Amino acid sequence: MSPIVMKKLSLLSTAILIGFLAAPLQAGTEVYKQLAPPPPPVYAYGLGFYGAIDAGANVYQNRGDTRTFTADNRINDITDRDFGATLEVNPKNDVGFYGGVKLGYVFGSGVVRPTVEGDFFYNGFRGGADFTLKDRFGDTVAQRDVTTWINTGAFMGNFILRFAPGNGRFQPYAGAGVGIYYAESAGVEVRDPVTGRVPINTGGGANHADLAWQVVAGSDYFFNPRFSAFIEYHYLDYTSTQLNTRENRDLGQHLVGAGVRFFFH
């Protein structure tokens, strides 16, 4: 073999050897790329089944305004009206207490979320009225304070629309419901406001059950996807369909309270 051929083979062998040695070096070189940060996690606040407890004040009961009565019983062709006697009745609308539990389900996960809810609560308040009897000259003849404590239980079914703007941590809502109530009077106490004497104390009371309806509005704030605190307002109406009178006997009430809610998703 000629020296020229030997020289070419030697150069070719050297080139191949260098190529094999360079390949691993190139393969071991890492190329770094700038990666975008991962998106923040999306939290689903307030989905699915939930339970809640709440309590608050029955701040006002619309039991009517003060009314003045004049007697019209005829005795021997002379009426009590001729003597000008009047009786003023001023219903009591004292602040009461309510508290109960809720069970519900939230449909969907969008901005507007329909919700069905069972709302079961105790609602107690003081009833009665102040009576003032006056003669024809406007002088007070007698006064009596009639007081009773009304214990009621309401069992309501609500349909609610919840709104979850932004990240859904703050969720206002509004809705309405219908149901039934049971009410029981703890008895009637008649007190003389001047002497403090109690000439009448029945020690027992009557009971009544009827239809009820309410309008509710409130807002939740979520501390995490499953747990929230809320404030809520009710306009609650106890009907009296079983009482046949010439006037509206419904009892309208304003309830304001707060509570906590836990979701089971």
Side-chain angles (χ1 to χ4, degrees):
M1 184 177 294
S2 66
I4 296 175
V5 175
M6 290 292 293
K7 186 176 181 180
K8 290 182 177 180
L9 289 174
S10 178
L11 292 174
L12 180 60
S13 299
T14 302
I16 292 173
L17 181 60
I18 293 173
F20 277 114
L21 293 174
L25 294 175
Q26 293 178 353
T29 303
E30 296 183 2
V31 179
Y32 294 95
K33 295 182 179 180
Q34 184 69 31
L35 300 178
V42 178
Y43 296 110
Y45 293 100
L47 302 181
F49 287 101
Y50 67 83
I53 58 174
D54 65 334
N58 184 337
V59 297
Y60 181 74
Q61 300 88 44
N62 182 16
R63 304 185 64 244
D65 298 326
T66 300
R67 300 185 61 188
T68 301
F69 296 89
T70 56
D72 56 1
N73 297 320
R74 183 174 295 275
I75 302 176
N76 297 327
D77 295 328
I78 300 177
T79 66
D80 293 338
R81 191 188 304 275
D82 296 331
F83 296 99
T86 60
L87 177 65
E88 292 183 357
V89 180
N90 182 18
K92 294 181 179 180
N93 297 305
D94 294 346
V95 173
F97 165 81
Y98 81 94
V101 298
K102 301 173 182 286
L103 296 172
Y105 185 83
V106 178
F107 295 90
S109 58
V111 175
V112 180
R113 302 176 182 178
T115 303
V116 292
E117 178 183 83
D119 193 5
F120 318 104
F121 55 92
Y122 164 82
N123 175 20
F125 53 92
R126 189 170 296 281
D130 297 331
F131 294 85
T132 303
L133 180 65
K134 296 183 178 181
D135 61 19
R136 62 183 301 182
F137 303 105
D139 296 328
T140 298
V141 177
Q143 287 181 306
R144 294 293 184 271
D145 294 341
V146 177
T147 301
T148 183
W149 183 262
I150 310 296
N151 298 298
T152 76
F155 311 90
M156 312 295 293
N158 299 330
F159 177 77
I160 295 171
L161 288 179
R162 301 180 65 88
F163 302 92
N167 63 5
R169 187 180 288 270
F170 173 73
Q171 294 187 15
Y173 58 88
V178 294
I180 60 174
Y181 74 92
Y182 175 82
E184 185 175 65
S185 169
V188 176
E189 178 184 276
V190 179
R191 179 179 297 274
D192 187 324
V194 178
T195 64
R197 191 172 63 89
V198 181
I200 300 175
N201 190 338
T202 63
N207 57 69
H208 180 73
D210 219 316
L211 300 176
W213 60 269
Q214 66 177 350
V215 176
V216 298
S219 180
D220 281 81
Y221 180 81
F222 284 84
F223 299 99
N224 59 53
R226 291 187 176 186
F227 181 75
S228 72
F230 65 92
I231 57 174
E232 189 169 88
Y233 164 80
H234 303 241
Y235 174 78
L236 176 64
D237 189 280
Y238 283 167
T239 68
S240 295
T241 60
Q242 300 176 23
L243 298 180
N244 185 18
T245 64
R246 293 175 295 175
E247 299 182 6
N248 178 19
R249 302 292 297 177
D250 287 12
L251 176 62
Q253 305 168 77
H254 300 270
L255 281 61
V256 178
V260 293
R261 206 183 311 263
F262 183 81
F263 290 79
F264 301 99
H265 64 84

